[in-house]
Amino acid sequence: MATVIPTTTPHMGQLLGMVKARLTDELHRRLDAAGYTDIRPVHGPVFHHLTPEGLRLSQLAELSRMTKQAMAEHVLELEGLGYLIRVPDAADGRAKLIQPTDKSLAAMAVARDALHDIEVDWGMALGERRVAQMRDTLEAIRAMYDR
């Protein structure tokens, strides 16, 4: 078995993870400041994929790459906090759709604005051109895998 020699230079995956962690921290700092102190980072996959029309639990789980059981825990918690409701699916009376409430739509608007503002902050600190190039590069990498 080959010996792995530790390095002080993080690989690309580590760098992306570190930046995502800082972005998430800053987003939640801003959500907290806006009064949404009960939204936690683990709720991100729910809010990221939620649509106004609603989705089935299995769809949310698949889009988030989570098990249905794990997604069900997050949905149940967010329901209890008033961010989600379950309504009958008109296409299949046995199924339920998970829909956002007005409270979650308002929180998602705050999050969208905060993420925009963070990107503007990065542009001011690093230069708008560099941030635009980073965005273009990340979009190109994502497109490679979406084929």
Side-chain angles (χ1 to χ4, degrees):
M1 184 169 175
T3 303
V4 177
I5 301 170
T7 177
T8 57
T9 305
H11 59 70
M12 185 73 73
Q14 290 171 314
L15 285 171
L16 289 168
M18 291 173 196
V19 171
K20 182 181 180 195
R22 299 310 183 278
L23 175 65
T24 299
D25 291 347
E26 182 59 20
L27 170 62
H28 283 273
R29 187 189 68 71
R30 293 176 189 217
L31 282 168
D32 287 351
Y36 296 101
T37 57
D38 50 0
I39 296 175
R40 297 179 295 124
V42 296
H43 298 137
V46 178
F47 287 110
H48 180 74
H49 297 289
L50 196 59
T51 65
E53 306 79 34
L55 293 169
R56 292 181 183 183
L57 180 69
S58 59
Q59 292 172 304
L60 274 173
E62 183 179 335
L63 289 167
S64 300
R65 297 181 177 187
M66 295 175 71
T67 64
K68 284 193 263 187
Q69 294 82 1
M71 180 56 71
E73 287 181 32
H74 296 313
V75 167
L76 188 61
E77 182 178 4
L78 289 167
E79 263 185 306
L81 294 170
Y83 289 100
L84 302 175
I85 57 170
R86 294 182 206 226
V87 299
D89 184 346
D92 179 354
R94 300 169 297 167
K96 299 279 187 193
L97 293 176
I98 298 160
Q99 291 182 332
T101 62
D102 289 343
K103 181 179 180 180
S104 64
L105 292 173
M108 289 176 359
V110 168
R112 245 186 330 272
D113 290 346
L115 290 168
H116 174 266
D117 292 347
I118 291 167
E119 197 168 323
V120 168
D121 292 347
W122 289 358
M124 290 175 21
L126 304 171
E128 290 179 20
R129 184 171 161 263
R130 287 178 72 190
V131 173
Q133 287 173 328
M134 178 176 63
R135 174 178 274 288
D136 290 345
T137 301
L138 291 171
E139 287 286 353
I141 293 169
R142 185 183 72 162
M144 286 178 6
Y145 293 98
D146 287 346
R147 295 181 189 155

